[in-house]
Amino acid sequence: MLAYAIRRSLMLVPVFLAVSVIIFLILHFIPGDPIDNLLKVGSSPTARAEIEARYGLDKPLPVQYLIWLGNVLTGDLGTAIVARRPVIDLIGQALPHSLALGGLALAFSSIVGITLGVIAALNRDRWPDRAIMGGVLVGSTMPSFWLGLMMMLAFSVWLGWFPVSGARGWSSLVLPVLTIGLGGTALVTRITRVSMIEVAQKDFVTLLHAKGLSPLRIQLRHVLRHALIPVVTILALRIGWILGGAVTVEVVFARPGLGTLLIKALAQHDYPVVQASLLMLAMAVMIGTLLGDLLQAAMDPRVRAALA
Amino acid sequence: MTKMFRKTLLAASVSLAALLAAQGAARAQEATIVFPTNEVGATTYNPIKATMLNTATALIFDRMVSQGADLSYQPWLAESWEEAPDGMAWVFHLKPGVTFHNGEPFNAATVKAWIELFKATEGDNTYMVEAIASVEVVDDATVKFVMSRPEPNLLYNLSSTFMSVVEPKSYAALGDDYGVTEVYGTGPFKLESFAIGQETVLVRNDAYAWGPAVAANKGAPKVAKLTFREIAEDSTAFLELKTGGVDMLLSVPSDLLGEITAEANLAVLTLPGQDVWYMPINVTKAPFDDILVREAAAKAINQDEILASVFGGVGSVADTFLISALPESQVSDSAKIKYDPARAAAALDEAGWAMGPDGVRVKDGQPLKVTLWTQGDSIFRRLTEVVQAQLKAVGIEAEITTFDSSMIRDQYKTGEQQLAVRSYNWDNADIVDWFFGGDRLGYPNVSMFNDPKAEELRTAAMAGAKNMSERVANFTAYHEYVLTQFPMAPIYQPVTSIGYNTERLVLPSPLNAPSFGSVAFIDMEVKE
């Protein structure tokens, strides 16, 4: 298992390098550059060339890439061209907000989603199943922008339970977490339900029934354990999404975060910020995938056996 | 025991009530304000280095010079000034008794150190002090700027937020942290905390006694604490105002004005804006290489109709390229570009474009079809559709192409545009040089305008004036000439709309300032 973990981790190195090249190239091929945001009315027409030289943007792309990669590997993410702050500071300010929001939303959707999925599977084709799956359909089709504003209207404007927006204290986290969490809940519920139903039809479950174990015990002790393997994989893959996937909700609820930082930097073509943020998101996805694989191996003896 | 317990409980209740009352009173002296959406995301309060500064910057720092509502220059930290007749020197007489938030005095030596720091800092704002060759301390309260060339725009630069007077010692000591963790100015408020993308908290500078000439209250502000919040989504900001979460929105989009005025406790204050919406015309692309076709397109734009139908009558029409508060906008009436469908039709006839059967003009068998570029934001698209219809009314068929707002500048650089709809925000006549200078073709010179006579007038306007009145005259002449060549059609001048809670705030009225900044916040009151 340890050998597998090490082997699997080493595979991330070429992936990291490939991702870094793609991130760098995509960004430089998008029309526009940060200089337009720096030039001010009244500055001389030669100012553009001076600024380009100052930030090394006049160097050939491969040289720019190697300088950037070298700095990143030594832990230097550079200084934002437009935002004028060390990139590490900007990310350091945004990251805790993203982690709190995304982490809680993931926890919410996991707990509620798995619970609802189990209830739906246990009551397959009966009214609780239909009600839950109906709710899930509605939940997964509602755009988060709209859902966020509706939540705000209901719980802040009419009921006055939570603040409308902002990032002050736990109460300001409730509505954004619910807004993101409900979308994720729909996915987790569906996968749990389908997986439970599939596993329940396996031979070993029939054997357990034949042995006379109580149906509820079979479902919760044995079926759920097997059914959770794909659910865990999906949840692990969503770790990357947690960090940067909440842009609309961050904007609606006026919360800082990595997604908002990235979008703002993209609009300004602030290369160092975009590159560092994208790299962080890509690494989160890679680590999530690795975690998913390792968890799968840990949970499923067949996977372990195949690796041995 | 029971008696004693009761006594203790009573005493505790009284103290708690007193504490709550005190907190209530303190709350009454506080206000929460939402930054304009275009100020969301400022990352530093370092005016020398920043590329973007927000309204709170103007409260932390003072400037040497302030501007009145009429954009005239008024005393602030400089009580008076004299300019040498040849424009090669300026002498500023400084206000005595001014101190920075960290206790350091403000005097001639500080001004010298600040300007030298500004000149030595690698940044994109240094052009503002480029013409200052050196600074001499005449005495403690008098400072002389020795110029390398006349700079009639110096007072404008000195009134800009980017030329906020920083405390030089702490600036040098704090390095990159200046403006983020700590910041010291001489302004009416001190920075208490700053969380990027979230909020800035300012507290009153009780020692403040040097308000700008244009403020009614020259002393400390009436409000003890201001919290500025960053909310990028207008609907969220409105809901915060409606529920009492905030007291004021510094910019309200026109589609939310009705929602605000419908609430009994909310009101809207309008101030002149600093934006101009216009339609650049690429003078190098046929058929607009013909001045008659440019004139026709420009005079086909019905500014009054746009003001009424697109902007609900809020704001005013634009008939020159500059905001009307600028003296350089006062060009001769004949140079102003106004809606004139008869002249538009006559110009097209004269240019050989005859009206075709389908309402589109034709010349040599070719229909008068052009492209009209715009950006994705909904207000731009709405306006562009109206412009398209107005062009069609005189026989010009325009096809709209929409670009993402962050990418349209690069599209302009290709020079392929014919017509476009865009806007700018600036309060100085040098914007004419920026958008029509012959060496900035593509972007910012979207019109690709490069005219020898205009270049001559431009040089005179930018560098030929020794003093302010000469500069105004030269820029007016340059602006007027550009208008007569029709490289664009002016459309609209918006106002700035501020939404606020009338039960919480009393705003100064009338406000003698070009925008809702330091003067307004010094004079603003919170209702007890």
Side-chain angles (χ1 to χ4, degrees):
Chain A
M1 181 68 193
L2 185 67
Y4 171 70
I6 293 170
R7 212 166 55 233
R8 185 65 189 74
S9 306
L10 283 176
M11 275 169 64
L12 292 186
V13 176
V15 178
F16 172 83
L17 286 175
V19 164
S20 73
V21 173
I22 293 169
I23 287 173
F24 190 85
L25 286 184
I26 285 181
L27 194 57
H28 284 79
F29 284 131
I30 295 175
D33 63 40
I35 314 292
D36 283 332
N37 292 294
L38 300 181
L39 288 172
K40 291 204 180 69
V41 182
S43 57
S44 77
T46 55
R48 164 170 283 276
E50 289 161 21
I51 298 172
E52 268 180 358
R54 190 182 311 148
Y55 295 107
L57 297 172
D58 55 343
K59 294 191 172 77
L61 268 191
V63 177
Q64 285 189 46
Y65 169 73
L66 288 175
I67 294 174
W68 172 66
L69 187 68
N71 289 339
V72 167
L73 292 177
T74 55
D76 177 11
L77 295 177
T79 301
I81 297 175
V82 183
R84 290 296 158 83
R85 296 281 310 144
V87 176
I88 193 87
D89 285 6
L90 294 175
I91 289 183
Q93 288 235 1
L95 196 60
H97 293 286
S98 291
L99 283 175
L101 180 58
L104 285 173
L106 189 70
F108 174 87
S109 50
S110 313
I111 295 166
V112 178
I114 291 171
T115 311
L116 289 179
V118 170
I119 296 172
L122 292 181
N123 296 282
R124 191 182 171 187
D125 294 334
R126 291 203 297 274
W127 72 263
D129 180 27
R130 293 208 179 96
I132 288 170
M133 294 323 286
V136 159
L137 191 69
V138 174
S140 59
T141 49
M142 271 191 290
S144 55
F145 182 83
W146 181 83
L147 183 64
L149 283 175
M150 290 304 112
M151 290 255 191
M152 234 183 241
L153 267 182
F155 295 107
S156 305
V157 178
W158 295 332
L159 296 170
W161 290 353
F162 303 107
V164 172
S165 65
R168 276 196 243 179
W170 288 99
S171 60
S172 65
L173 265 170
V174 176
L175 296 185
V177 163
L178 281 179
T179 307
I180 306 179
L182 284 179
T185 304
L187 179 75
V188 176
T189 308
R190 287 169 75 100
I191 293 172
T192 309
R193 176 184 176 274
V194 170
S195 185
M196 287 271 291
I197 291 170
E198 258 178 33
V199 174
Q201 290 163 353
K202 299 252 163 146
D203 291 342
F204 79 92
V205 179
T206 316
L207 180 70
L208 290 172
H209 280 293
K211 278 173 129 182
L213 263 71
S214 83
L216 193 63
R217 191 185 157 94
I218 294 171
Q219 289 288 345
L220 295 183
R221 201 68 187 278
H222 300 277
V223 175
L224 181 60
R225 194 178 150 194
H226 285 81
L228 278 185
I229 294 171
V231 178
V232 167
T233 312
I234 291 287
L235 288 175
L237 283 175
R238 283 179 82 85
I239 290 177
W241 176 88
I242 284 179
L243 290 184
V247 184
T248 36
V249 174
E250 281 171 8
V251 171
V252 170
F253 287 98
R255 295 182 58 85
L258 210 56
T260 311
L261 180 72
L262 176 61
I263 293 296
K264 178 96 186 166
L266 259 177
Q268 296 175 327
H269 300 275
D270 203 340
Y271 297 149
V273 183
V274 181
Q275 283 162 190
S277 317
L278 282 180
L279 204 60
M280 286 216 52
L281 296 183
M283 280 175 66
V285 172
M286 287 191 278
I287 291 168
T289 315
L290 173 72
L291 208 64
D293 284 356
L294 295 181
L295 280 173
Q296 201 175 12
M299 287 170 71
D300 193 341
R302 290 165 302 180
V303 176
R304 275 205 302 276
L307 296 171
Chain B
M1 184 71 191
T2 318
K3 208 173 174 183
M4 209 173 140
F5 175 73
R6 273 193 196 146
K7 260 185 162 177
T8 315
L9 193 69
L10 190 68
S13 314
V14 170
S15 343
L16 187 69
L19 189 72
L20 287 175
Q23 274 187 338
R27 159 93 177 102
Q29 279 308 308
E30 294 174 11
T32 304
I33 294 114
V34 178
F35 281 130
T37 43
N38 62 358
E39 291 182 6
V40 168
T43 51
T44 175
Y45 283 104
N46 180 342
I48 299 181
K49 279 193 174 173
T51 50
M52 174 187 165
L53 292 168
N54 59 32
T55 304
T57 319
L59 308 184
I60 298 170
F61 298 99
D62 289 330
R63 280 151 274 160
M64 297 273 280
V65 177
S66 62
Q67 270 188 300
D70 58 355
L71 300 184
S72 63
Y73 298 102
Q74 305 286 335
W76 199 347
L77 293 182
E79 278 187 320
S80 61
W81 50 84
E82 296 111 37
E83 185 187 2
D86 61 357
M88 294 303 283
W90 289 75
V91 173
F92 291 92
H93 303 281
L94 308 178
K95 202 172 274 183
V98 175
T99 52
F100 287 97
H101 298 156
N102 60 352
E104 288 289 325
F106 165 82
N107 52 34
T110 337
V111 174
K112 179 179 163 66
W114 160 58
I115 295 289
E116 284 171 357
L117 207 56
F118 211 121
K119 285 181 78 71
T121 304
E122 203 176 60
D124 315 306
N125 305 335
T126 42
Y127 75 94
M128 297 181 121
V129 291
E130 211 176 11
I132 305 172
S134 63
V135 182
E136 292 170 8
V137 175
V138 178
D139 60 44
D140 212 31
T142 315
V143 68
K144 182 179 174 185
F145 289 7
V146 180
M147 311 298 286
S148 58
R149 59 172 166 83
E151 175 54 292
N153 209 28
L154 184 69
L155 292 182
Y156 174 80
N157 289 347
L158 288 173
S159 72
S160 153
T161 325
F162 290 101
M163 287 207 73
S164 296
V165 182
V166 304
E167 198 282 292
K169 282 185 192 163
S170 58
Y171 188 95
L174 286 164
D176 269 351
D177 284 335
Y178 187 90
V180 182
T181 54
E182 290 174 57
V183 61
Y184 303 107
T186 60
F189 289 90
K190 302 191 253 191
L191 181 76
E192 186 176 88
S193 67
F194 170 39
I196 295 175
Q198 205 177 327
E199 66 177 29
T200 297
V201 181
L202 304 182
V203 289
R204 178 168 56 203
N205 177 8
D206 288 317
Y208 197 73
W210 45 86
V214 288
N217 167 24
K218 302 283 187 294
K222 293 162 185 166
V223 185
K225 189 174 182 180
L226 294 173
T227 301
F228 284 92
R229 290 201 41 206
E230 306 198 19
I231 302 179
E233 173 53 39
D234 291 319
S235 320
T236 308
F238 166 68
L239 288 179
E240 284 282 17
L241 184 67
K242 186 182 158 97
T243 55
V246 305
D247 305 310
M248 189 198 290
L249 310 181
L250 284 176
S251 74
V252 179
S254 50
D255 49 352
L256 278 177
L257 289 174
E259 301 272 349
I260 291 186
T261 45
E263 300 286 327
N265 62 336
L266 303 181
V268 173
L269 171 81
T270 51
L271 292 172
Q274 298 182 345
D275 293 55
V276 170
W277 294 61
Y278 68 105
M279 177 178 79
I281 304 171
N282 185 346
V283 302
T284 62
K285 277 267 164 201
F288 297 114
D289 51 350
D290 183 343
I291 190 170
L292 286 168
V293 185
R294 297 205 295 273
E295 183 182 359
K299 290 186 172 169
I301 303 303
N302 185 343
Q303 292 105 332
D304 284 306
E305 186 186 68
I306 288 172
L307 173 64
S309 66
V310 181
F311 298 102
V314 180
S316 58
V317 298
D319 51 17
T320 78
F321 190 65
L322 298 173
I323 55 170
S324 45
L326 283 170
E328 295 89 342
S329 70
Q330 303 305 313
V331 294
S332 65
D333 203 48
S334 61
K336 289 181 176 169
I337 300 176
K338 294 176 181 170
Y339 175 56
D340 187 347
R343 175 59 200 147
L348 287 171
D349 288 339
E350 217 177 303
W353 291 94
M355 187 58 93
D358 56 351
V360 178
R361 288 180 181 261
V362 187
K363 184 180 176 182
D364 304 329
Q366 292 294 315
L368 186 44
K369 284 189 177 171
V370 297
T371 56
L372 175 58
W373 291 8
T374 192
Q375 54 200 69
D377 322 45
S378 62
I379 186 74
F380 273 96
R381 287 181 27 208
R382 252 163 51 207
L383 171 59
T384 309
E385 280 163 16
V386 176
V387 166
Q388 181 188 40
Q390 291 180 348
L391 289 168
K392 183 75 201 293
V394 298
I396 303 174
E397 186 165 323
E399 189 189 335
I400 297 175
T401 309
T402 308
F403 292 97
D404 180 81
S405 52
S406 68
M407 293 183 188
I408 196 162
R409 283 181 186 174
D410 252 45
Q411 293 298 325
Y412 289 135
K413 286 177 192 163
T414 64
E416 289 302 312
Q417 63 276 16
Q418 287 183 298
L419 299 175
V421 171
R422 59 185 319 280
S423 71
Y424 77 80
N425 175 298
W426 199 246
D427 60 350
N428 190 295
D430 58 9
I431 196 76
V432 183
D433 155 78
W434 183 249
F435 282 116
F436 300 104
D439 46 14
R440 293 193 173 100
L441 300 178
Y443 190 85
N445 189 344
V446 177
S447 307
M448 306 288 285
F449 184 67
N450 191 3
D451 178 290
K453 188 174 174 197
E455 287 302 297
E456 228 172 82
L457 291 166
R458 175 191 176 206
T459 310
M462 288 297 283
K466 290 190 182 63
N467 55 47
M468 190 92 78
S469 57
E470 267 184 47
R471 184 180 192 265
V472 170
N474 291 358
F475 258 108
T476 310
Y478 173 36
H479 177 212
E480 183 159 325
Y481 177 73
V482 168
L483 291 173
T484 61
Q485 299 304 301
F486 303 101
M488 58 93 208
I491 301 176
Y492 167 67
Q493 292 185 75
V495 287
T496 303
S497 300
I498 290 164
Y500 69 103
N501 187 327
T502 51
E503 289 170 0
R504 291 268 302 137
L505 303 179
V506 182
L507 304 188
S509 177
L511 180 64
N512 187 13
S515 59
F516 203 91
S518 43
V519 173
F521 283 103
I522 291 172
D523 287 339
M524 185 176 93
E525 287 178 57
V526 172
K527 288 184 182 172
E528 295 290 334

